[in-house]
Amino acid sequence: MMNQADFRFYAELNDFLPPWQRMREFTHTFANNPAIKEVIEALGIPHTEIDLILVNGQSVNFSYLLQNRDRISVYPVFEAFDITPLLRVRPQPLRETRFILDVHLGKLAAYLRLFGFDTEYHNDYEDAQLAQIARQEKRILLTRDIGLLKRNQVTHGYFLRETYPKQQLREIFRRFDLFRAAKPFQRCMICNGLIYPIDKNEINHQVPAATLSYYHSFYRCQSCHQIYWPGSHYQQMQTFINTILPQQDQP
């Protein structure tokens, strides 16, 4: 005999459900007594998006075994109020906001580096590598691949709703409240290394003479040795930064 349970998903978790299951309670049929994590992910919701599960009014973790006639309420990561007395199903937030991005998010990776966030990205990473690095280096995995977020190794991850890089950047700033943590022009947009000031006499053989005579401030990446200076491209980036960050929040 098959068992049945009633599910209700709240807020943005409905983004992962088909239209006929969104914003309403629905009945799900299942065999035996599977772990609730298995059932929720089968319905399409990655575990990294979930903060609280209530079964018959009581908070449970992902290992709870689903029973016939259970009533389940599933909530996303809470931002507005404290649920400390209840049982959170996801690990506590990471002490440092560090990211790893899947292979389709190269432009977003460059933007996050522009704003000073430690962002790991290579366009040839396999899914297994992404999950492993995210766990080992305590990074938040950003992706538009739901299946990647369902991997057990991934403890902190986020599914991007937006499809265009600039909108994705704004989405990430809102979702992780990054506005005051941003430190523009601290990281290399190419390799993620930290950049530091350098005397132009040390790079006079690497930069055109006209550039050396016109500009006085130069910077170099400590990892890939890319050289930067505040040229016209810098002004364009500053204008872009000003569209994301309130002026008073910039360092």
Side-chain angles (χ1 to χ4, degrees):
M1 181 179 296
M2 300 294 286
N3 295 322
Q4 291 185 329
D6 294 327
F7 281 83
R8 174 70 160 87
F9 292 88
Y10 288 86
E12 60 265 29
L13 296 181
N14 286 275
D15 294 347
F16 300 98
L17 297 173
W20 59 89
Q21 292 179 336
R22 294 175 185 170
M23 309 303 293
R24 60 181 293 270
E25 187 173 270
F26 61 89
T27 300
H28 178 71
T29 301
F30 58 96
N32 303 316
N33 299 106
I36 199 166
K37 176 178 181 291
E38 175 186 333
V39 176
I40 288 173
E41 293 203 319
L43 289 169
I45 294 88
H47 66 273
T48 54
E49 297 278 330
I50 297 167
D51 210 8
L52 177 68
I53 302 172
L54 300 181
V55 176
N56 306 321
Q58 301 295 317
S59 60
V60 302
N61 60 27
F62 281 130
S63 64
Y64 173 82
L65 301 180
L66 204 57
Q67 306 296 312
N68 189 37
R69 301 299 180 184
D70 276 344
R71 295 191 66 182
I72 298 99
S73 301
V74 187
Y75 298 86
V77 176
F78 287 88
E79 300 292 348
F81 56 94
D82 186 16
I83 62 166
T84 301
L86 302 175
L87 175 65
R88 291 177 181 266
V89 296
R90 51 188 300 283
Q92 291 300 305
L94 300 173
R95 290 186 179 181
E96 182 181 358
T97 304
R98 307 166 71 207
F99 298 102
I100 182 168
L101 277 60
D102 79 13
V103 298
H104 304 292
L105 300 175
K107 191 67 174 181
L108 176 60
Y111 285 154
L112 285 169
R113 291 168 177 173
L114 170 63
F115 282 84
F117 294 102
D118 186 344
T119 304
E120 178 70 14
Y121 171 82
H122 286 281
N123 61 9
D124 58 354
Y125 276 148
E126 299 290 338
D127 284 0
Q129 289 177 284
L130 288 167
Q132 182 179 18
I133 294 171
R135 185 180 184 89
Q136 290 179 343
E137 299 185 8
K138 294 181 171 58
R139 293 180 180 272
I140 299 168
L141 176 58
L142 303 180
T143 182
R144 283 187 52 79
D145 181 350
I146 295 176
L148 179 53
L149 291 178
K150 291 180 181 180
R151 288 177 173 259
N152 290 331
Q153 283 183 298
V154 181
T155 60
H156 294 76
Y158 179 73
F159 176 80
L160 290 158
R161 276 68 166 176
E162 298 288 350
T163 55
Y164 295 100
K166 288 184 179 179
Q167 282 71 32
Q168 289 173 337
L169 180 69
R170 291 184 172 90
E171 179 183 357
I172 292 302
F173 263 74
R174 291 191 299 268
R175 169 61 182 77
F176 295 99
D177 193 18
L178 299 180
F179 297 96
R180 293 189 179 278
K183 296 179 179 178
F185 304 114
Q186 300 292 308
R187 287 189 176 273
C188 177
M189 295 176 65
I190 298 172
C191 79
N192 194 43
L194 293 171
I195 62 174
Y196 60 95
I198 189 168
D199 191 302
K200 65 180 181 180
N201 292 323
E202 295 185 39
I203 55 170
N204 54 18
H205 60 292
Q206 297 175 272
V207 177
T211 300
L212 287 170
S213 63
Y214 191 81
Y215 296 101
H216 302 286
S217 298
F218 291 86
Y219 304 85
R220 183 161 63 188
C221 171
Q222 66 180 14
S223 298
C224 72
H225 307 299
Q226 173 72 24
I227 298 171
Y228 296 91
W229 60 89
S232 59
H233 190 51
Y234 169 85
Q235 297 302 327
Q236 294 172 4
M237 290 189 294
Q238 185 64 66
T239 299
F240 172 55
I241 289 168
N242 291 341
T243 67
I244 303 294
L245 294 181
Q247 291 293 317
Q248 65 270 22
D249 287 350
Q250 293 188 46

